[in-house]
Amino acid sequence: MEQLPKEISQNGIRYTLVGDYYIPDLQLPEENRPIGVWGRMHKAYLELYHPAQYNDLVLSGKLWTYLAGLNEQAQKRLDCIIDQMKAAEDITEELKAQNQMEWVRAMNSIRSRAEEIIRSEMIYC
């Protein structure tokens, strides 16, 4: 019986012999950025409602990079929306010093509305 080589290379992909089969030696790109809360939400959404796109991202090795980028964009957009709403509703540090409970109520309301905008515009679409 003929001995098969332990490693082969075809079409730019390296294969290793495991038992009787050649398994591709695939490596994912290294990504150090966190996917954060927005990335996790979008990942769950893709898994449930867009499995073809999710599988394409997983198989191409781009899922983590895609989710990390989305998380950064969503966080920047959230900060921008909060700043704009604070200016429009005249929520200042002066209000914070004078009436802390009113400031907390207003900021919680702004943050809640801004997060809902992010979810509808970027996460669940």
Side-chain angles (χ1 to χ4, degrees):
M1 187 180 261
E2 178 182 326
Q3 286 288 350
L4 296 173
K6 295 285 184 195
E7 293 181 357
I8 61 171
S9 181
Q10 289 182 345
N11 298 329
I13 301 175
R14 242 175 99 178
Y15 296 88
T16 302
L17 183 65
V18 178
D20 293 336
Y21 301 97
Y22 283 103
I23 307 293
D25 292 337
L26 301 177
Q27 300 217 353
L28 294 175
E30 191 171 316
E31 178 64 60
N32 296 328
R33 298 179 298 168
I35 62 171
V37 66
W38 303 113
R40 289 191 306 271
M41 279 184 192
H42 191 64
K43 179 179 177 268
Y45 172 76
L46 287 176
E47 284 179 293
L48 286 175
Y49 298 104
H50 299 283
Q53 182 183 3
Y54 176 77
N55 287 333
D56 181 48
L57 288 168
V58 168
L59 295 174
S60 67
K62 296 178 183 176
L63 178 66
W64 196 269
T65 304
Y66 170 75
L67 294 175
L70 178 88
N71 183 62
E72 289 174 359
Q73 290 175 8
Q75 191 59 49
K76 286 178 184 175
R77 177 89 170 110
L78 178 71
D79 295 340
C80 180
I81 291 171
I82 287 174
D83 289 342
Q84 289 174 349
M85 286 181 163
K86 279 174 48 177
E89 296 177 20
D90 198 32
I91 308 300
T92 62
E93 292 297 315
E94 185 178 307
L95 175 64
K96 184 178 180 181
Q98 292 174 356
N99 190 347
Q100 290 179 352
M101 292 306 290
E102 179 64 22
W103 182 85
V104 168
R105 182 200 60 77
M107 287 303 297
N108 283 344
S109 173
I110 288 172
R111 184 163 193 83
S112 176
R113 288 180 284 151
E115 287 176 352
E116 187 61 36
I117 291 169
I118 297 299
R119 280 188 211 101
S120 66
E121 287 181 355
M122 299 180 77
I123 307 304
Y124 302 131
C125 60

